[in-house]
Amino acid sequence: MDLARLLRGDLLVQSMSNRTPFFKAFGPLLFGRPARRTLQKLERLNSLQELYELFGHLLPDRLLAASEKGMNSRDRLFSTQVTFWAFAAQILSPGTACREIVRRVEAWWQESLGPTQAASTSSSAYCQARARLEPAVLDLIRAEIAWSLERNVLTEERWLGGRPVKIVDGTGVSMPDTPENQAVWPQSTSQQPGCGFPMMKLVGLFSLSSGALLEAETGSLHVHESTLFRALWNKLHRGDILLADRGFCSYATLAALQQQRGVDSVMRLHAMRTADFRTGRALGPEDRLVLWTKPALRPAVWTTEEYAALPDTLPLRMIRLRVAAAGFRTKTVVLVTTLLDPIAYPANLLRELYGERWQVEMHFQQIKTFLAMDVLRCKSPELIQREVLMHQIAYNLVRSLMQRSAHVHGVPLSRLSFKGTLDTLRHWSGLIAAGPTPRQQQKLIDQMLALMAGDLVPERPGRSEPRAKKRRAKNYQVLNKPRHQMGNLPHRNRPGAKSPKSSLS
């Protein structure tokens, strides 16, 4: 695409929609259509350099621009922009093979560059291009999108009209069983060598208001979630409220977040601590003000200087939460919080707030199930790192569309369907990009946003969804030794039985 062709009047409209084979309608969907470019701006665009302006002001142009030197400075068919959006399209369409993405790029080259300039390539070139994506740049892109989501949060969407609430939790993902992956993320010690898969533990920090994945930290299966969480403390700001389950509840965490960072916490009491409501001072029904003393035993992950800097005592509120559902036994949960004022923060509101912690379970389900991060596909730690970052970026992109749809049509963001938004995006983005005029494209955008806003998740109070599978697995034998040692099993139902003799022998 030379400059003369780019400056033609018909391509001025195309420059506004930023031609690309991957989700061309993202930009106007999220942040409106940018103004017409001046001739000086167009003169700086060449070939595929203009592939991505899809998100308007969401991402700085420099993040996906070619570098002046290094491995991303060469003029390649799989440039940084093409590779990034090819990778994003692959994540947003789970089950898409690398070969399918390569064919899609080739088809776009054929359309945009013409048959004499389009080149045929293999999936190997695409995989090598993914390895050239710099993790630091991907992390900046994730942070930019997450920041944009937080910036667009309405005041009424924050807790009590102003306090930002963030939720932390951990999960695990598996990956191909290669020696390189096993060295970084070893399998469970309960499995025999060669019979398991490398496991990665991931701790994510989410925004309650926008649902954005603000930051994530990964580590080995043998590292505790609270240890990984310490690496995310720099993403918590003064005035934030942290929601967490009892795995993160400790004296050191509660004290350090409040005293050193000005972050309040609402957590479930750790199972090793006893909840004695006879101690302390009563603030209301099943609401006590208690005083915790710093344990004498220092946690191994804390240095002597860090632990000595913590206060010797910490005042906390202890609130009993009774979870009652029809047909089930009443379950008692004890909460601890550093929000001590019972007037500004009534106990009932804190109980309701902790009930919102379940949102993080839904967010992890959306990433792991709908975006297929539960089982990663790359075979080297370097590409695994990039794949995890791309899943975070793709998740936040979908959340951005959900936020735009919710704000335009005045529906609660929590009621929008993530899967419905993802499906609608995949099938409408191509139609919107093919619109003949900007007015027609805007009309299609409005229709798509209305569809997303109308696809609400039903309210099902008290619904029980136990983590149990109804469909049984195939009755194949369990791999209890390396595959090359298993050999051929004569009977899948009876591994000890011998094969019947042939009637021809």
Side-chain angles (χ1 to χ4, degrees):
M1 184 188 301
D2 55 14
L3 181 60
R5 185 183 175 194
L6 185 60
L7 294 178
R8 285 193 347 212
D10 57 340
L11 287 185
L12 282 176
V13 176
Q14 292 179 0
S15 67
M16 293 169 58
S17 59
N18 302 298
R19 295 166 60 84
T20 172
F22 303 108
F23 303 102
K24 294 181 279 189
F26 256 131
L29 289 178
L30 294 175
F31 300 98
R33 190 171 302 282
R36 285 180 177 271
R37 304 297 187 186
T38 61
L39 295 181
Q40 291 79 11
K41 177 67 175 177
L42 290 174
E43 288 175 353
R44 293 196 295 268
L45 299 175
N46 56 40
S47 184
L48 300 178
Q49 293 289 328
E50 64 162 345
L51 241 177
Y52 176 51
E53 298 241 358
L54 296 173
F55 288 89
H57 304 295
L58 183 60
L59 295 179
D61 296 339
R62 58 180 174 81
L63 292 182
L64 291 175
S67 57
E68 296 182 358
K69 58 182 180 178
M71 59 183 177
N72 287 323
S73 60
R74 292 177 53 188
D75 186 13
R76 304 174 186 265
L77 291 175
F78 275 111
S79 66
T80 303
Q81 291 180 337
V82 173
T83 306
F84 174 82
W85 288 109
F87 206 167
Q90 192 174 11
I91 298 297
L92 290 170
S93 300
T96 303
C98 293
R99 179 175 57 185
E100 181 178 347
I101 289 294
V102 170
R103 296 296 177 264
R104 186 172 177 180
V105 174
E106 288 176 341
W108 179 76
W109 283 334
Q110 187 76 16
E111 174 191 2
S112 302
L113 306 181
T116 59
Q117 300 185 53
S120 176
T121 184
S122 64
S123 58
S124 175
Y126 168 59
C127 293
Q128 294 176 40
R130 293 196 305 182
R132 291 193 297 270
L133 293 175
E134 299 181 11
V137 173
L138 296 180
D139 191 59
L140 284 175
I141 293 174
R142 178 206 51 75
E144 285 285 341
I145 301 174
W147 175 83
S148 178
L149 277 162
E150 284 297 276
R151 180 190 62 184
N152 293 328
V153 171
L154 304 178
T155 303
E156 56 267 24
E157 292 177 327
R158 299 191 184 277
W159 191 60
L160 295 183
R163 296 293 300 265
V165 179
K166 297 175 181 177
I167 319 175
V168 64
D169 202 5
T171 188
V173 296
S174 67
M175 62 198 72
D177 187 14
T178 63
E180 297 80 6
N181 289 340
Q182 285 279 11
V184 180
W185 300 288
Q187 66 185 43
S188 173
T189 54
S190 62
Q191 295 174 313
Q192 295 295 325
C195 301
F197 291 93
M199 292 294 299
M200 171 193 292
K201 184 171 290 185
L202 185 145
V203 173
L205 185 67
F206 292 84
S207 167
L208 177 63
S209 301
S210 66
L213 176 54
L214 304 175
E215 187 65 83
E217 184 70 17
T218 61
S220 168
L221 184 67
H222 311 295
V223 180
H224 197 272
E225 294 175 352
S226 59
T227 303
L228 296 176
F229 173 52
R230 289 194 65 187
L232 305 180
W233 284 10
N234 60 342
K235 297 300 178 181
L236 296 170
H237 307 290
R238 183 170 296 275
D240 287 350
I241 298 177
L242 178 70
L243 282 181
D245 63 10
R246 57 188 176 187
F248 298 91
C249 181
S250 68
Y251 181 96
T253 299
L254 291 167
L257 289 178
Q258 187 198 46
Q259 301 291 335
Q260 301 174 7
R261 297 181 176 272
V263 176
D264 289 304
S265 304
V266 179
M267 301 183 181
R268 184 179 176 183
L269 184 67
H270 196 279
M272 298 301 293
R273 278 192 174 268
T274 303
D276 189 357
F277 279 80
R278 297 171 298 178
T279 61
R281 178 166 61 90
L283 300 178
E286 300 183 313
D287 184 3
R288 306 287 296 188
L289 180 64
V290 297
L291 189 67
W292 280 12
T293 304
K294 182 168 67 173
L297 184 61
R298 174 179 58 86
V301 296
W302 288 74
T303 65
T304 304
E305 294 76 12
E306 291 174 338
Y307 199 65
L310 297 179
D312 293 331
T313 59
L314 180 66
L316 294 170
R317 281 175 74 185
M318 193 164 55
I319 302 171
R320 182 178 283 120
L321 169 63
R322 299 186 186 275
V323 182
F328 295 87
R329 292 182 179 178
T330 300
K331 184 177 181 179
T332 301
V333 175
V334 178
L335 307 180
V336 291
T337 177
T338 55
L339 299 170
L340 305 181
D341 190 346
I343 299 177
Y345 307 103
N348 287 337
L349 289 183
L350 291 174
R351 294 184 181 102
E352 294 176 1
L353 178 63
Y354 186 77
E356 296 294 325
R357 195 205 68 84
W358 184 254
Q359 293 293 332
V360 73
E361 305 288 349
M362 305 303 298
H363 298 332
F364 272 132
Q365 181 197 34
Q366 292 159 1
I367 300 176
K368 295 176 63 176
T369 303
F370 301 143
L371 296 181
M373 196 183 72
D374 190 26
V375 179
L376 302 173
R377 300 167 62 177
C378 295
K379 298 183 179 180
S380 67
E382 294 77 15
L383 283 176
I384 286 290
Q385 182 185 13
R386 291 162 173 81
E387 189 177 1
V388 171
L389 286 170
M390 286 302 302
H391 273 91
Q392 299 175 36
I393 292 171
Y395 167 79
N396 282 339
L397 290 178
V398 180
R399 297 295 308 188
S400 298
L401 287 181
M402 295 173 64
Q403 186 185 65
R404 172 74 183 275
S405 177
H407 289 175
V408 169
H409 293 277
V411 297
L413 179 59
S414 59
R415 292 287 308 281
L416 289 187
S417 169
F418 183 92
K419 183 63 164 59
T421 302
L422 181 61
D423 293 342
T424 306
L425 167 66
R426 281 200 297 258
H427 293 289
W428 277 72
S429 58
L431 177 63
I432 294 171
T437 63
R439 179 175 297 180
Q440 182 65 24
Q441 287 182 333
Q442 186 60 48
K443 183 178 179 180
L444 292 172
I445 290 172
D446 295 340
Q447 293 176 0
M448 191 192 74
L449 292 177
L451 284 176
M452 292 177 178
D455 191 9
L456 300 181
V457 178
E459 291 187 349
R460 297 161 176 165
R463 186 185 186 191
S464 175
E465 296 183 358
R467 295 183 176 180
K469 296 188 297 184
K470 179 178 180 180
R471 191 175 299 279
R472 272 59 173 174
K474 300 293 183 180
N475 55 352
Y476 295 117
Q477 298 304 314
V478 177
L479 192 70
N480 52 22
K481 63 178 68 173
R483 190 173 298 277
H484 67 274
Q485 298 180 10
M486 290 288 288
N488 296 322
L489 297 177
H491 292 82
R492 65 181 186 181
N493 294 331
R494 294 173 296 164
K498 297 182 179 180
S499 300
K501 293 184 179 180
S502 173
S503 58
L504 300 178
S505 57

